[in-house]
Amino acid sequence: MKLIITIIFTLILLMASVIAKKKLNALENSFLYMLIFFCVTGYTAIYYINLKVWSISEETDLFIIYRIYEFIIPLICLWYFNLLNTFRSLYKKSLILLLFLGVLLIIQRVMIYWDVISYNKWAYWQTILTYLVLLVVIRFLHLLFKHLLQKEGIFI
Amino acid sequence: MTLPENFDQNEWFIIIGVVITYTLVILFPKRFPLSMVILVMLFAIICARVTDHMMASPAVNYYDIMDTGSYELFDLLVYIFYAPFSYFFVYFLEKFKIRDYWQIGYIILWSFIAIGFESVNVYFDVFNYHEWRLTYSFPMYFVIQIMTMLFYYFIKHHYYLLKNKQ
């Protein structure tokens, strides 16, 4: 049942991501998705393989859910970066950041509730900090890439 | 990220390989804008990462990368090492203007080049097989080359579409 819910949720999210009108162009979206995916699979691997502060369930269903989770997180971050460009004021941008941190945390909470991920000497605030660092680093790299595109004559 | 247990031939192979391939990328006459080069190379890194993540993780462990099964600093360099190959793949695709059915032959040729490159990696202990064989990699490379080609056409289309909108 957990796997079916995850698959349906992912498909809805995927469809919505494809259909939704995006603020960023296809090149930026491709760059961001690949970069976020690489970072997410990197830090989660460090957490559960190297540091062993996370344990991932060995049950097949739950392990598949975990792999889908690694695919969902970059997709949600992509929504965040597209929405970020919609607002100009710092206040609204901060609200969007808080909203997305909340969404990411809720998804993580569900993963723990379903026993997909178990924390060992790890706390939620560390997860929030990880997401915050991830979003800031990706934002910085995104701005660099955007600057490069502008230098090449692409301003949209 | 952990550092290598023993700094031996596989680490040296990766370091020398990275220096040589990136020097070649810089020395070759420029055919694409830098943003497209970054995207194509990033795509190769992601393909390698996804494949290794699926098949060289603790749960499904067909092979190890470098010395241990953990995520090492040199694992990251292996991905960086793989990136220029996708660049050369699209570079020669454009240089020799390979179109239509010739593209199938080109993909097959590059799949064999990739197999040859992987066998060198295996020789230098970059990949340590458990239940994996070199021949299994051929269909993997075949699919990855097709995806790289499609991705290249996708970004090329969007790049010039955006540029012409200005």
Side-chain angles (χ1 to χ4, degrees):
Chain A
M1 191 63 186
K2 291 171 188 172
L3 183 60
I4 292 168
I5 292 169
T6 311
I7 291 170
I8 291 170
F9 173 75
T10 309
L11 288 175
I12 292 169
L13 187 69
L14 193 63
M15 278 196 296
S17 305
V18 172
I19 297 165
K21 203 166 182 237
K22 292 162 197 76
K23 280 283 166 185
L24 304 174
N25 63 50
L27 303 175
E28 285 174 283
N29 277 315
S30 306
F31 174 78
L32 280 171
Y33 186 83
M34 291 191 290
L35 204 61
I36 301 165
F37 183 85
F38 188 75
C39 290
V40 169
T41 55
Y43 82 73
T44 52
I46 291 169
Y47 286 174
Y48 81 87
I49 300 171
N50 294 16
L51 302 174
K52 299 193 191 318
V53 288
W54 287 12
S55 304
I56 308 301
S57 174
E58 286 175 7
E59 257 181 70
T60 312
D61 281 16
L62 300 182
F63 190 73
I64 294 169
I65 292 175
Y66 177 71
R67 287 293 187 233
I68 297 172
Y69 161 82
E70 288 180 316
F71 167 81
I72 292 173
I73 297 300
L75 215 53
I76 290 170
C77 292
L78 207 58
W79 276 82
Y80 165 72
F81 286 110
N82 274 282
L83 265 176
L84 198 66
N85 267 33
T86 316
F87 302 107
R88 285 187 182 271
S89 78
L90 193 68
Y91 171 69
K92 282 180 182 170
K93 281 185 176 180
S94 308
L95 278 182
I96 289 290
L97 175 68
L98 283 176
L99 174 76
F100 272 84
L101 281 175
V103 170
L104 291 169
L105 201 65
I106 289 168
I107 293 171
Q108 179 102 91
R109 185 74 190 88
V110 172
M111 290 297 121
I112 288 159
Y113 183 68
W114 281 353
D115 293 324
V116 175
I117 300 170
S118 316
Y119 284 174
N120 313 314
K121 294 177 189 167
W122 189 260
Y124 281 108
W125 69 266
Q126 288 168 306
T127 301
I128 296 171
L129 194 67
T130 307
Y131 284 139
L132 205 58
V133 171
L134 173 80
L135 293 175
V136 169
V137 170
I138 300 292
R139 177 71 180 155
F140 175 70
L141 293 170
H142 173 220
L143 289 175
L144 284 179
F145 188 70
K146 203 180 179 85
H147 178 69
L148 177 67
L149 285 177
Q150 285 173 350
K151 262 176 77 177
E152 291 172 359
I154 295 171
F155 292 93
I156 298 167
Chain B
M1 265 180 226
T2 52
L3 290 169
E5 285 176 353
N6 304 307
F7 203 93
D8 46 29
Q9 58 170 3
N10 48 9
E11 280 82 15
W12 281 115
F13 174 70
I14 294 297
I15 290 171
I16 294 165
V18 166
V19 172
I20 291 171
T21 49
Y22 279 85
T23 308
L24 286 174
V25 169
I26 294 163
L27 291 179
F28 268 47
K30 285 186 179 64
R31 297 196 80 88
F32 316 105
L34 184 59
S35 57
M36 274 173 72
V37 174
I38 291 172
L39 287 173
V40 166
M41 286 168 97
L42 196 57
F43 187 77
I45 292 174
I46 291 301
C47 285
R49 179 74 190 129
V50 170
T51 317
D52 292 342
H53 199 55
M54 295 295 168
M55 289 187 287
S57 67
V60 186
N61 195 9
Y62 289 116
Y63 56 89
D64 280 336
I65 307 162
M66 304 304 283
D67 300 329
T68 61
S70 64
Y71 195 51
E72 288 182 39
L73 177 70
F74 271 80
D75 287 14
L76 192 68
L77 282 179
V78 171
Y79 299 130
I80 291 168
F81 186 30
Y82 261 76
F85 286 87
S86 65
Y87 172 75
F88 293 128
F89 174 75
V90 295
Y91 185 93
F92 292 113
L93 181 79
E94 283 298 328
K95 185 176 168 63
F96 298 118
K97 295 184 172 51
I98 293 159
R99 300 288 179 264
D100 306 323
Y101 294 112
W102 287 104
Q103 289 175 122
I104 300 168
Y106 187 71
I107 287 168
I108 293 169
L109 174 74
W110 270 89
S111 300
F112 278 111
I113 292 171
I115 285 286
F117 176 63
E118 186 173 319
S119 64
V120 177
N121 276 284
V122 173
Y123 178 79
F124 284 103
D125 293 328
V126 173
F127 298 117
N128 296 294
Y129 294 160
H130 300 308
E131 295 168 51
W132 194 256
R133 287 182 185 184
L134 195 61
T135 46
Y136 298 167
S137 300
F138 188 84
M140 303 294 298
Y141 285 122
F142 194 80
V143 172
I144 289 170
Q145 314 288 11
I146 294 170
M147 283 165 58
T148 307
M149 193 179 271
L150 291 174
F151 180 73
Y152 167 66
Y153 287 140
F154 169 79
I155 56 165
K156 186 182 170 186
H157 169 76
H158 281 279
Y159 186 88
Y160 291 105
L161 196 75
L162 288 165
K163 198 146 186 160
N164 292 335
K165 265 188 187 175
Q166 307 303 318

